[in-house]
Amino acid sequence: MGTPPSAVAAETKPPTATETMAATRPDVLPPIDVGAWIRAGGIFQGSDPSKVNDWHMDNAYVELHTGGKVTKNVGVTLNMNANMANYGTSGGGGGVALEDAIISFDFMPEFHLWAGHLLVQVDRSNSSGPFFMIPWNYPGNFAPAGSFSAAPKEGPFGRNNGAVVWGDIAGGKASYFAGVFDNGNIGVSPLFSARLRVPFLDAETGFWGNGSYFGDKDIFTIDVGGQVQDHGSATTDATGAVTDKTYAEINADALFEKKIPGGGWVTADGAYYHFNVNDGAVSDSFYLLAAYATPTVGVGNLQPMVRYQWEKVKGNTGTNPWNLDAAVSYLIKGPALRLIATYSHTRLGTDAAGDALTANSIQLGAQAIFF
């Protein structure tokens, strides 16, 4: 059976002038991306944080992600979030907040300029966010027990108003990030924040990061970061005297992740932070993490994990805080659909009588990401 004459005519029709001249063709931009990310969690912990004798929801968190290209080299990102935990109670959550509002100038892989309300690039943990790290909780705050903060300066949800220049060198053999942030208060000096990422196995590229690649890559990457802000660390004593000094922070992180023949993967991660602060604040901290994901069990991978954290409080003469998390996740679709249970034990120091101040909890959580 031959080809219909009309089909032959369509195939042999000569191109128009605009079709043959690349400069006259309109750019075909990708569609707007829309995604919904959800985390729901409950914690077993009583009013006495050392006892696991009560339960409440502490996470009903959602992010709505949108973004797209205005031109081939200019894009817009607008992300919103809300935590409905304790909604309707006195001082409770539930309000929708602006997470990201970014205009991005993507000139070339080696040089981008992003500005607006965006991520403060300083370390891997803030870059990955809670959805793409193995533990349920960020390092440094000993959540959900509560303690001193050992995180770099960032802002709500790790974001702030500012601008970042960044780029991937040689296809991701190295990446740099350098930003300046200011919350609009003319009386506050700007915060300068920078980070360098150097992978030695598979490449890591892009502005956003991962605390784990959940078996998709073989990773050995070292990150270093730092921050500085004039008059950024000030305290007032009982007499009203103010001690003012320059705030500074440096950190280093190493992530190793390797796929295992036959299925599964292993992960090891560690980070160290040093802060230039006054007495009573955390001056040094570190964490160490180890995890193993099994080959497929049912519809996913089982992933046990242990993480140890330690903080040094400047001027502290007693026991410095430490924390131990032991968790197991069920990765149904990697980070896009996972369940997790975590036991957490925290030592916060001693009370006036010299007795240990401790906290214990069991956290149950689930997260889902729809792209």
Side-chain angles (χ1 to χ4, degrees), residues 319-361:
T319 302
N320 284 299
W322 59 268
N323 165 264
L324 182 66
D325 291 324
V328 59
S329 296
Y330 190 49
L331 308 172
I332 301 169
K333 197 177 180 182
L337 183 59
R338 69 165 177 157
L339 310 173
I340 186 170
T342 306
Y343 169 72
S344 181
H345 175 77
T346 303
R347 174 72 181 268
L348 299 173
T350 56
D351 61 18
D355 297 325
L357 294 173
T358 62
N360 296 284
S361 65

Side-chain angles (χ1 to χ4, degrees), residues 46-237:
S47 55
D48 178 351
S50 66
K51 297 180 179 179
V52 185
N53 58 4
D54 200 357
W55 175 86
H56 66 276
M57 288 289 292
D58 70 331
N59 241 294
Y61 178 76
V62 61
E63 295 183 3
L64 178 64
H65 291 243
T66 60
K69 288 289 188 178
V70 180
T71 71
K72 185 168 62 176
N73 299 109
V74 180
V76 171
T77 299
L78 181 64
N79 299 331
M80 313 292 288
N81 64 5
N83 194 346
M84 303 299 289
N86 302 317
Y87 179 67
T89 63
S90 177
V96 176
L98 180 68
E99 184 178 26
D100 295 292
I102 307 168
I103 181 168
S104 54
F105 299 91
D106 302 308
F107 301 107
M108 61 183 69
E110 296 81 6
F111 184 76
H112 306 254
L113 171 61
W114 289 18
H117 189 75
L118 73 168
L119 191 76
V120 177
Q121 284 283 1
V122 62
D123 66 348
R124 179 175 291 273
S125 293
N126 199 43
S127 177
S128 69
F131 285 92
F132 297 98
M133 62 173 59
I134 296 174
W136 182 255
N137 297 306
Y138 277 111
N141 289 311
F142 291 2
S147 180
F148 304 97
S149 174
K153 285 197 173 185
E154 292 157 359
F157 311 108
R159 273 75 170 171
N160 217 319
N161 299 329
V164 176
V165 293
W166 68 277
D168 296 319
I169 308 300
K173 297 298 184 183
S175 302
Y176 71 90
F177 308 86
V180 57
F181 300 88
D182 193 324
N183 63 3
N185 184 349
I186 194 63
V188 177
S189 299
L191 172 71
F192 296 91
S193 188
R195 176 178 173 231
L196 177 66
R197 180 176 65 202
V198 182
F200 296 96
L201 295 178
D202 289 349
E204 291 194 79
T205 59
F207 182 81
W208 313 101
N210 285 60
S212 169
Y213 284 87
F214 298 91
D216 286 341
K217 291 186 177 186
D218 288 335
I219 290 292
F220 176 52
T221 302
I222 294 176
D223 297 72
V224 292
Q227 296 182 320
V228 64
Q229 183 182 30
D230 286 344
H231 315 292
S233 181
T235 57
T236 304
D237 63 20

